[in-house]
Amino acid sequence: NWEVKRLNWPTKEACTSPTSTNSRVWAPSVVKAPNGNYYMYVSVGSEVWVGVSETPAGPWKNAKEDNTPLIPGDSLPGYHMIDAECFIDTDGQAYLYWGSGWNW
């Protein structure tokens, strides 16, 4: 049995920075961290944004206090910052992987 929920975050309006492209919201990935919070890594405007919530259904907010992307669009010129996935190792160390669309 599935229940559809509408999330409050991310939106194109909430996740737009001076380095964003016109790309919309896609490819969310949610992980539960050792601190008990849930983190959503999502592509918006060819940037990677990270949200935080106490539950996987939200409410969500930008995990960065300055409301900027985790990986801005201009961090690697010519790349698209997309499709982020977080891996948390057994020792608690977190790793973030993402695609780039390089050489499209």
Side-chain angles (χ1 to χ4, degrees):
N1 295 331
W2 291 90
E3 183 179 340
V4 176
K5 298 274 188 177
R6 185 174 184 97
L7 299 178
N8 67 301
W9 186 97
T11 65
K12 180 65 175 161
E13 294 76 25
C15 299
T16 295
S17 79
T19 60
S20 293
T21 69
N22 63 353
S23 298
R24 299 208 181 259
V25 179
W26 74 90
S29 174
V30 176
V31 295
K32 185 174 184 180
N35 67 5
N37 286 330
Y38 292 85
Y39 292 86
M40 180 191 300
Y41 298 89
V42 62
S43 302
V44 184
S46 292
E47 301 179 306
V48 174
W49 293 74
V50 60
V52 63
S53 176
E54 293 179 359
T55 71
W60 292 91
K61 67 178 183 177
N62 192 326
K64 294 186 65 186
E65 289 187 21
D66 64 359
N67 204 37
T68 60
L70 180 64
I71 305 173
D74 63 355
S75 33
L76 295 168
Y79 287 73
H80 300 276
M81 309 311 156
I82 60 172
D83 301 342
E85 181 71 37
C86 181
F87 168 73
I88 302 174
D89 208 342
T90 55
D91 65 0
Q93 176 65 48
Y95 299 88
L96 186 67
Y97 302 88
W98 70 94
S100 69
W102 184 66
N103 209 14
W104 282 355

